[in-house]
Amino acid sequence: MKKVFLLVFMVLCPSLLFASDNVTIKTQISVSRQVLPDTYLLPVSISVKLKKESQVLNLLGKVDKEVRKLGMDYSGGSYSVYKVTRWDPEKKKSVFEGFRGNLSYQFRLKEPSVQDKIFSLLTKLKKRHPAIEISVSNPSWIVSKKRAILVRDSLYIRLLKRATVLSKRFGRAIGKRCSLKEVNFTPHFYSPIRYKSALRSESVSAPIPKKSEQEISLDANVVYLCR
């Protein structure tokens, strides 16, 4: 009776017999590409300190109009205005000194030499309005968003092709047929080195950071099912 029962069980439930023969392989695949940056990012900040809030706003407005006349690609143009006080140890209280306003831009240039036109304009404005303070913070070469998307899309295809090749290699190694079950992508973008700089004089021939290749990479957690 025991032999008959075992034979019937094997005929009716073959999946249970072979379930343990399935193999799941989990791994991580990485691909990357070196990309030459195509955009020069130039962050510029303008600061003004005057007695009246209206004077600060008017001067920032003049600067903004002149910057827009340059016709260059930039983001920002946002500003802030706030009271300035200092602590008077004799009076033992905060003393009002005026208002400070800040205006910031991020220029995106195809040719870094164009930055000299920006500096020339700001230097002229500073001559006319000595209250203006100008600073340049961390100019750098970056990969534009449009180019980064194109590179990333090509990396998706490259990674999938590599994952397909690996499925065949895994199958040959363990004597089974492996297929892709799951792919979870994780893109990573290289953070370019930043270069500190400041506009401390009337010079309009500013240094230019070296353009170096930057890495854009893509990772994926991959799951194979081998039968």
Side-chain angles (χ1 to χ4, degrees):
M1 287 295 293
K2 290 183 180 180
K3 293 183 179 180
V4 173
F5 175 79
L6 178 61
L7 179 61
V8 172
F9 182 82
M10 292 176 63
V11 171
L12 295 179
C13 306
S15 60
L16 293 177
L17 290 176
F18 296 98
S20 61
D21 290 341
N22 294 338
V23 176
T24 299
I25 299 176
K26 298 180 180 180
T27 187
Q28 186 180 69
I29 300 175
S30 299
V31 292
S32 63
R33 177 177 166 185
Q34 296 294 322
V35 182
L36 199 63
D38 58 346
T39 302
Y40 183 66
L41 185 66
L42 179 68
V44 177
S45 298
I46 294 93
S47 180
V48 177
K49 181 183 176 184
L50 294 167
K51 288 295 183 182
K52 295 182 180 180
E53 183 179 15
S54 59
Q55 293 175 327
V56 172
L57 288 170
N58 286 333
L59 186 49
L60 292 180
K62 289 179 181 179
V63 173
D64 188 58
K65 287 180 182 178
E66 294 299 322
V67 168
R68 283 189 276 120
K69 285 180 182 179
L70 290 173
M72 296 183 182
D73 182 24
Y74 70 86
S75 61
S78 57
Y79 68 92
S80 62
V81 179
Y82 54 90
K83 289 183 179 180
V84 178
T85 60
R86 66 174 177 83
W87 177 256
D88 190 324
E90 294 182 1
K91 296 180 179 180
K92 294 183 179 181
K93 66 176 183 179
S94 295
V95 179
F96 173 73
E97 288 194 328
F99 290 87
R100 180 174 293 280
N102 296 311
L103 182 61
S104 61
Y105 301 93
Q106 282 197 330
F107 293 94
R108 289 175 170 80
L109 311 175
K110 295 301 180 184
E111 294 295 333
S113 59
V114 179
Q115 69 179 344
D116 291 345
K117 294 182 180 179
I118 300 171
F119 295 149
S120 178
L121 169 66
L122 296 177
T123 301
K124 290 177 182 178
L125 289 172
K126 184 173 176 60
K127 282 184 179 180
R128 295 201 297 263
H129 308 281
I132 292 178
E133 296 178 6
I134 304 163
S135 64
V136 180
S137 177
N138 304 329
S140 61
W141 282 101
I142 63 170
V143 178
S144 65
K145 184 177 180 180
K146 181 178 180 181
R147 181 164 174 75
I149 290 175
L150 291 173
V151 173
R152 185 187 62 186
D153 289 347
S154 68
L155 289 178
Y156 281 128
I157 304 302
R158 182 177 166 188
L159 192 148
L160 287 173
K161 288 182 177 179
R162 184 174 178 185
T164 301
V165 171
L166 282 177
S167 68
K168 296 178 181 179
R169 291 181 178 177
F170 286 151
R172 287 196 297 267
I174 62 177
K176 294 182 180 296
R177 183 174 181 179
C178 299
S179 59
L180 280 172
K181 181 181 179 182
E182 187 176 328
V183 179
N184 295 314
F185 292 104
T186 307
H188 298 282
F189 295 97
Y190 176 81
S191 297
I193 297 174
R194 300 291 182 176
Y195 299 81
K196 294 184 178 181
S197 174
L199 189 61
R200 301 181 183 275
S201 66
E202 297 182 2
S203 173
V204 292
S205 182
I208 300 173
K210 181 181 178 181
K211 183 191 291 189
S212 302
E213 286 189 334
Q214 299 171 10
E215 182 180 80
I216 297 179
S217 62
L218 180 68
D219 297 339
N221 293 315
V222 183
V223 179
Y224 296 96
L225 180 61
C226 304
R227 302 175 185 276

